[in-house]
Amino acid sequence: MQSSANTIEAYLAELPPDRRETVAAVREVVLANLPEGYDEGMDFGMICWHVPLSRYPDTYNGHPLGYVALASQKRYLSLYLMGAYADGDGFRARYEATGKKLNMGKSCVRFTKLDDLPLELIGEVVAEVSPEQYIEIYEKARGLR
């Protein structure tokens, strides 16, 4: 379910109350741990935290360089942790060590309720990569360095 909301407030308002509470709680964890230099906004129909185009305009698709995103899908919620994928299997091992069951897609962690997520780990993962480090990871992956 991709949203056409232009603001985070509008996005949250269109969610059912239980989903709104869950998304708001995960958003708070991200905001509390997000390194300085990332911006929050809407992109691709979801809440995104990204390197602003004013800082890094040369992305492959013209959109800001996404670092974390949060979306309400039809059957679950998705948390996209792009920085965690640079960690290889380290994120998977850290997640499983929390005792929570990891439901990980090709690019996201899927969950249905807040208790499914190890919020402390999510905060740690969000806090780990500065925008400068993320740009370096991105450029290496794209063969630009």
Side-chain angles (χ1 to χ4, degrees), residues 6-79:
N6 292 321
T7 67
I8 293 164
E9 294 74 22
Y11 181 78
L12 292 171
E14 71 186 21
L15 296 175
D18 60 328
R19 289 272 181 115
R20 185 179 315 119
E21 288 177 24
T22 302
V23 168
V26 175
R27 179 179 176 229
E28 286 178 28
V29 170
V30 172
L31 288 171
N33 292 281
L34 193 68
E36 190 173 321
Y38 290 106
D39 282 350
E40 179 184 46
M42 293 294 297
D43 203 7
F44 299 105
M46 59 187 138
I47 301 172
C48 295
W49 294 271
H50 52 258
V51 176
L53 287 171
S54 61
R55 168 71 174 87
Y56 193 81
D58 299 324
T59 63
Y60 74 96
N61 61 4
H63 289 263
L65 184 56
Y67 177 57
V68 176
L70 178 60
S72 177
Q73 309 292 355
K74 186 174 183 176
R75 286 183 256 153
Y76 50 82
L77 297 131
S78 297
L79 181 61

Side-chain angles (χ1 to χ4, degrees), residues 56-133:
Y56 193 81
D58 299 324
T59 63
Y60 74 96
N61 61 4
H63 289 263
L65 184 56
Y67 177 57
V68 176
L70 178 60
S72 177
Q73 309 292 355
K74 186 174 183 176
R75 286 183 256 153
Y76 50 82
L77 297 131
S78 297
L79 181 61
Y80 299 82
L81 297 165
M82 280 57 100
Y85 287 89
D87 187 22
D89 288 332
F91 173 72
R92 180 179 301 278
R94 290 168 63 193
Y95 197 107
E96 291 171 354
T98 69
K100 305 265 185 185
K101 183 178 180 198
L102 177 61
N103 182 350
M104 191 169 180
K106 288 184 179 180
S107 65
C108 68
V109 173
R110 296 182 291 251
F111 61 103
T112 55
K113 57 188 182 304
L114 195 57
D115 289 342
D116 293 342
L117 282 180
L119 294 176
E120 186 174 325
L121 174 62
I122 299 305
E124 290 172 10
V125 169
V126 168
E128 286 176 345
V129 182
S130 71
E132 294 73 24
Q133 291 169 309

